Amino acid sequence: MAETVAALYTLALQQETRLHAEMALAAALIVPPFTPKRRALIRAGFGKVHLLHARLNETWLRQLHLPSVGGLPYFGAERVYFEQLRRRLNLWVELNGLLHKIMIAPRLPVIAALTPQISPMERQLRAFEGALYHLHDYLNPPRPNAEDHVGKHHDIPLPFTHFARLMQLARRTALALGGTAPVSFLDVGCGVGLKVLQAAQVFEIAQGLEYDNSRVVVADKLMRNARRPDDKVFQADAISYDGYGGFDVIYAYKPLSALDLLIQMEQRIVDKAKPGTVLVMPYTEFEERFQDMGCGRVARLVYVTGYKDRDMKPLLRKIARIGFIVPDDPASRQFDEGFVAPLAKALRHWGHLA
């Protein structure tokens, strides 16, 4: 009996469903660091995937050679499915090769390298950063009355490009510590919220804490325009705030100028944050105190609560196998990834695929 497009369509759907299930099992094995034992485990896990993929590819080729396939309606279910299946088969070849390269690649640097000072990219970044500084100055309310804000800094921004490098490392560290998306971020003393908005490009949840209500009003408008329901800026006192345990990454750029108040804030954060919280504290004073506060150092200015420096090597090895890429918004993907989706999800989670 001659094969029909409809019969091959049904067969391919069944084969892809089974392949998706096996792909999910294999993709769950992709966990850095990729030691020889882990690589062998991953390769064994994908053994059945390769076999099932070959069968599905054969079914796709068989339908391609049917005389009736050219007469299918352009938007008919069979034609649309087999066209998307062709793209998924090609994507599998691409991502399978990427996985192999990742497993045998040298370790990545803990923090992204700076761009050369004379490079075109550096010139572009400086121009971009200059525009953001102007925006920051425009959004900020007038400087507060010093008598009303004793011990508190004016909203002084960390350079935006430096912040971006620290946030990449913070996300990789949070994932290495066992975190799964969504990864949550808090800026303590966020001012008008530009760093919260920038962090929202890296973390699934980005929030800011600010003492000065006039800045909260500005930041609130900014975050509402970003149209992510969990992102927000709220008014609170950093020294008494009780919710630090709800975040994976906490950033504070010395919002308090009085040393005694600054130490109180740091201690409050460390005491209330859950063990394994990433702290980004980009000022030299915390370098002198992080060990006494029970933190380990990932790199200069980036720390982890509940760790000691001598226990950081396994974590650093894992970070060195996590990529720098932050996944794109799922809504931007152009087609259904089907059976390849579990592998694509794993590669995105570990920072190797947009």
Side-chain angles (χ1 to χ4, degrees), residues 18-28 46 49 92 339-344:
R18 185 179 177 193
L19 179 52
H20 187 285
E22 290 296 332
M23 186 74 78
L25 294 174
F46 276 90
V49 166
W92 156 247
F339 75 90
V340 196
L343 173 57

Side-chain angles (χ1 to χ4, degrees), residues 252-267:
Y253 183 35
K254 198 177 179 181
L256 300 169
S257 58
L259 180 60
D260 58 334
L261 296 178
L262 182 66
I263 293 174
Q264 285 183 53
M265 180 204 74
E266 293 167 354
Q267 194 64 61

Side-chain angles (χ1 to χ4, degrees), residues 216-229:
V216 173
V217 171
V218 176
D220 180 62
K221 290 179 181 178
L222 190 69
M223 297 313 299
R224 279 194 279 116
N225 284 336
R227 296 182 178 87
R228 288 202 331 187

Side-chain angles (χ1 to χ4, degrees), residues 305-325:
T305 60
Y307 273 70
K308 296 182 185 297
D309 259 11
R310 65 173 179 266
D311 301 326
M312 294 297 290
K313 284 186 178 180
L315 179 63
L316 292 171
R317 282 196 294 268
K318 192 168 184 177
I319 293 170
R321 294 296 183 181
I322 298 173
F324 292 94
I325 299 173

Side-chain angles (χ1 to χ4, degrees), residues 1 8 16 24 57 68 91 119 133 169 187 199 248 263 293 329:
M1 185 174 181
L8 290 178
E16 186 168 13
N57 189 64
S68 58
L91 180 62
S119 68
Y133 278 129
L169 176 54
D187 180 352
D248 303 303
I263 293 174
M293 289 192 173
D329 184 341

Side-chain angles (χ1 to χ4, degrees), residues 176-345:
L177 287 161
T180 57
V183 180
S184 56
F185 164 90
L186 176 68
D187 180 352
V188 181
C190 68
V192 293
L194 281 179
K195 287 298 192 299
V196 183
L197 192 65
Q198 190 177 355
Q201 313 308 308
V202 179
F203 305 104
E204 287 78 7
I205 299 171
Q207 298 185 8
L209 176 162
E210 173 57 37
Y211 181 82
D212 187 317
N213 197 57
S214 63
R215 292 189 175 85
V216 173
V217 171
V218 176
D220 180 62
K221 290 179 181 178
L222 190 69
M223 297 313 299
R224 279 194 279 116
N225 284 336
R227 296 182 178 87
R228 288 202 331 187
D230 292 325
D231 294 350
K232 64 181 180 179
V233 170
F234 54 92
Q235 196 281 330
D237 187 331
I239 295 175
S240 60
Y241 179 60
D242 204 36
Y244 292 118
F247 296 91
D248 303 303
V249 177
I250 298 175
Y251 164 81
Y253 183 35
K254 198 177 179 181
L256 300 169
S257 58
L259 180 60
D260 58 334
L261 296 178
L262 182 66
I263 293 174
Q264 285 183 53
M265 180 204 74
E266 293 167 354
Q267 194 64 61
R268 181 74 172 183
I269 291 172
V270 172
D271 289 346
K272 293 296 182 179
K274 61 194 175 190
T277 298
V278 183
L279 302 184
V280 182
M281 303 292 210
Y283 52 95
T284 55
E285 291 91 337
F286 195 73
E287 284 276 311
E288 303 166 0
R289 296 189 283 270
F290 76 90
Q291 290 177 311
D292 293 336
M293 289 192 173
C295 297
R297 177 167 45 190
V298 178
R300 187 171 179 270
L301 311 178
V302 180
Y303 314 88
V304 181
T305 60
Y307 273 70
K308 296 182 185 297
D309 259 11
R310 65 173 179 266
D311 301 326
M312 294 297 290
K313 284 186 178 180
L315 179 63
L316 292 171
R317 282 196 294 268
K318 192 168 184 177
I319 293 170
R321 294 296 183 181
I322 298 173
F324 292 94
I325 299 173
V326 177
D328 289 337
D329 184 341
S332 67
R333 289 167 203 156
Q334 298 180 350
F335 70 99
D336 181 2
E337 293 172 341
F339 75 90
V340 196
L343 173 57
K345 182 179 179 181

